[in-house]
Amino acid sequence: MKSILQRGWRPLSVLLFLLILWEMAGRILDIPVWLLPVPSQVWQEAIHGWMHYSGHIVSTIRLTLTGYAIGISVGLIVAIFLFRLPALQEAFYPLLILSQNIPIIVLAPLLVIWFGFGMLPKVIVIVLVCFFPVTIATLDGFRQTDKDLLHYMKMTGASNRQIFWKLQWPHALPSIFSGLKIAGTYSVMGAVISEWLGSGKGIGVYMTLASSSFKTDRVFVAIFLIMILSLTFFAIIALIEKWVLKWQRQGGNSLDG
C-alpha cells in the first residue's frame, strides 16, 4: 500500500493541477454551463444527481461483467486452439487481425438488425472488443516459453498435455493477465457503446439523454463514471494477478523443496 501511494502521488498531482486549471479558466472566461461546466459544477451534479444515475451504474456493471466473462472465455479458448493446432493458427490468425479493423460503432446497428434489441447484441459487442487482446496476449505468452525447459521436459518424456499445463500455461500467465487488464478497460467502453443500441438503462443511456437535453454537466458525470469503472476493473484484475502469480511462485518453490 505504501509503495502504491509513493508511486501514485505524481499522477494525482498532475490531475489535481489540471482540474484547478480547468476550474480557473472556466470561471475567468465565464463559460456557460451547457457548453463546458467547471469541475465544481460537475461534482455538485454528481452528488445531487445520484438518484438519477445510480440505477444506470448497476445496469452497466452487470452488462460489463457478463460480456467480459464470455469475452475472456472465448479469447482463452481460441488462443489455446490456435496454439495447439499450428495449421489452424496459420489459417485464422490473419482473420483475427482483420476483424479488429471493423469499427464497432458501425457493426453495432447490424447486430440490432440481426438479433433485435435484447441482451444478445449488447453482449456480442463486449465480446468482440474483449476477446482479441486476450487471444493475442495469450498466444504471445505461449510463444515465450523457456526453450531450455521445453527441451528438458521433452527429454524426460513428458506428454504434450503435461508440457502445456505444467510449463507453457504457467509461463504465459503474466501475458494472459496483461490481456485481461486491457480487455477489462475495453469491456466498460464496449458496454457503454452497446447501450446506445436502444437499452432502457445504463451509463450510455444516461449520457445520451443528458447530451440530447444539453445537460453537459451530466455528460461529464457519465464520462467520469466510465473512467472510475474502468480503473476499478483494472485494479481488481491487477490485484488478482498479483495474488495468482505470488501463489504460483510459492507453489513452485514448495515443489522444488
Side-chain angles (χ1 to χ4, degrees):
M1 180 63 70
K2 185 177 179 180
S3 61
I4 294 175
L5 294 175
Q6 289 175 344
R7 293 196 303 266
W9 73 267
R10 289 187 177 87
L12 287 176
S13 300
V14 173
L15 179 60
L16 182 61
F17 172 75
L18 292 176
L19 291 175
I20 294 173
L21 191 63
W22 177 5
E23 182 81 25
M24 292 176 60
R27 295 192 178 279
I28 292 172
L29 299 176
D30 196 22
I31 302 175
V33 177
W34 64 267
L35 183 61
L36 181 64
V38 295
S40 59
Q41 294 167 333
V42 176
W43 174 254
Q44 290 177 3
E45 176 58 35
I47 297 297
H48 298 300
W50 166 253
M51 295 301 297
H52 296 293
Y53 62 80
S54 57
H56 294 290
I57 296 176
V58 174
S59 179
T60 298
I61 292 176
R62 186 184 301 116
L63 180 60
T64 299
L65 292 176
T66 302
Y68 180 74
I70 298 174
I72 64 173
S73 300
V74 171
L76 290 172
I77 292 171
V78 170
I80 292 172
F81 269 100
L82 293 183
F83 178 71
R84 298 297 298 271
L85 302 172
L88 202 64
Q89 181 174 341
E90 293 178 3
F92 283 94
Y93 193 84
L95 297 179
L96 287 177
I97 305 299
L98 288 175
S99 69
Q100 299 306 298
N101 294 321
I102 304 173
I104 294 296
I105 197 66
V106 175
L107 187 59
L110 292 176
L111 294 175
V112 172
I113 295 173
W114 295 336
F115 302 107
F117 289 94
M119 186 78 165
L120 182 58
K122 299 175 181 60
V123 172
I124 291 176
V125 169
I126 304 174
V127 170
L128 289 175
V129 299
C130 285
F131 92 95
F132 181 77
V134 175
T135 299
I136 299 301
T138 304
L139 283 174
D140 288 341
F142 290 152
R143 295 192 192 104
Q144 294 170 8
T145 304
D146 188 288
K147 303 299 181 183
D148 293 333
L149 289 175
L150 181 61
H151 180 70
Y152 172 77
M153 290 196 69
K154 288 181 177 179
M155 291 289 292
T156 58
S159 65
N160 289 333
R161 178 176 296 182
Q162 289 174 325
I163 291 174
F164 178 78
W165 290 112
K166 293 184 179 295
L167 178 64
Q168 292 168 332
W169 176 263
H171 275 74
L173 281 177
S175 297
I176 292 173
F177 273 105
S178 296
L180 293 179
K181 286 185 284 189
I182 296 172
T185 56
Y186 283 0
S187 64
V188 180
M189 176 194 67
V192 173
I193 292 175
S194 69
E195 288 166 348
W196 294 344
L197 302 179
S199 179
K201 272 191 173 184
I203 296 176
V205 177
Y206 175 80
M207 179 186 292
T208 301
L209 294 174
S211 179
S212 61
S213 58
F214 292 94
K215 300 284 188 180
T216 313
D217 50 353
R218 293 188 179 184
V219 175
F220 274 98
V221 169
I223 292 173
F224 285 121
L225 287 174
I226 293 169
M227 294 170 59
I228 292 170
L229 286 179
S230 298
L231 290 174
T232 302
F233 211 177
F234 185 94
I236 291 173
I237 299 170
L239 288 174
I240 295 174
E241 175 190 18
K242 184 177 180 180
W243 178 82
V244 169
L245 295 182
K246 180 180 179 181
W247 176 83
Q248 181 191 13
R249 286 192 296 266
Q250 291 176 346
N253 292 336
S254 63
L255 289 173
D256 293 339

